Amino acid sequence: MRIVIAGGHGQIALRLERLLAKRGDEVAGIIRRPEQAGALLAAGAEPVVCDLESASVEDVARHLEGADAAVFAAGAGPGSGAERKDTVDRGAASLFADAAEAAGVRRFLVISSMGADREPPEGTDPVFAAYLRAKGAADADVRSRAGLDWTILRPGRLTDDPGTGLVTLADATGRGEITRDDVAATLVELLDEPRTIGRTLELIGGDVPVKEAVGTVAAH
């Protein structure tokens, strides 16, 4: 497959690129800064410099032409304010979805966040609340598109611990932690499983092998 990943320099994206390249897929990662290209090349991915905050739908669609799937893994990242949560976590997600539709790429995966489906609790840090609202709005936009075969993955609190290959994947899991390694591994399996189209799934660490967890969810 040819897979294009928005936010190609992100921590989950780089892990995903390595896994996909290792199994022989052609992977391109959209990055904002040329100096990020080396990390993508090392992961086996083709770097594509394109700023999703300023690009047009046509610009991005050109990078998606001929792709079999698109993955939205971009985020404003730590240290950014509420305004960029909206322009990246919501605005860029919508732009990437527009571009996928324009390029005829139906399979569309989104890395979202647990808690994005409800109003943040009172007392939540204002920037984190803005992030959750932006993610929730982006998810709602993607879900409304008949032109995309979408799957939305909402991981729990992310850690950099080594992946265990064991997860809990369900419509609702309850809160918990998940390694970035295991999120990337789950995305690979979701890409290959058309029965997860139209599903919004939560992911935390657990005791079920990733492939089996995706298969079980797909069968229900």
Side-chain angles (χ1 to χ4, degrees):
M1 291 201 292
R2 176 172 170 80
I3 298 144
V4 179
I5 302 172
H9 191 255
Q11 294 183 72
I12 292 172
L14 285 168
R15 288 167 167 82
L16 178 58
E17 286 154 6
R18 284 187 207 103
L19 292 174
L20 293 171
K22 189 175 177 183
R23 72 174 197 171
D25 288 328
E26 188 182 326
V27 194
I30 295 177
I31 53 175
R32 201 157 48 91
R33 299 198 300 272
E35 59 267 27
Q36 296 171 330
L40 272 75
L41 291 168
E46 169 200 343
V48 175
V49 180
C50 176
D51 186 348
L52 294 176
E53 286 180 271
S54 59
S56 68
V57 172
E58 293 73 24
D59 289 338
V60 183
R62 276 196 292 275
H63 300 308
L64 281 160
E65 279 172 14
D68 299 292
V71 180
F72 186 78
S80 57
E83 189 176 322
R84 286 204 69 226
K85 303 300 185 197
D86 186 65
T87 58
V88 179
D89 292 282
R90 183 200 58 76
S94 295
L95 174 77
F96 197 56
D98 285 340
E101 288 188 316
V105 180
R106 290 198 63 93
R107 191 70 175 110
F108 195 88
L109 267 60
V110 177
I111 304 173
S112 182
S113 173
M114 200 172 281
D117 55 350
R118 53 191 173 271
E119 181 60 18
E122 199 172 327
T124 301
D125 171 77
V127 174
F128 187 63
Y131 165 75
L132 290 174
R133 290 189 190 104
K135 281 292 192 191
D139 293 353
D141 176 31
V142 168
R143 284 168 167 159
S144 73
R145 295 172 184 259
L148 295 178
D149 294 333
W150 54 266
T151 304
I152 293 169
L153 184 64
R154 290 177 165 167
R157 197 175 76 77
L158 298 167
T159 77
D160 287 327
D161 296 335
T164 64
L166 301 171
V167 300
T168 299
L169 179 70
D171 295 325
T173 60
R175 296 202 167 272
E177 294 185 345
I178 183 74
T179 71
R180 288 179 169 88
D181 285 346
D182 290 331
V183 175
T186 302
L187 289 164
V188 172
E189 295 298 332
L190 290 172
L191 274 171
D192 289 347
E193 180 46 88
R195 293 176 298 168
T196 61
I197 289 167
R199 300 287 295 273
T200 302
L201 300 166
E202 294 186 350
L203 179 71
I204 57 173
D207 53 13
V208 181
V210 169
K211 192 177 186 70
E212 185 184 326
V214 171
T216 299
V217 158
H220 293 87

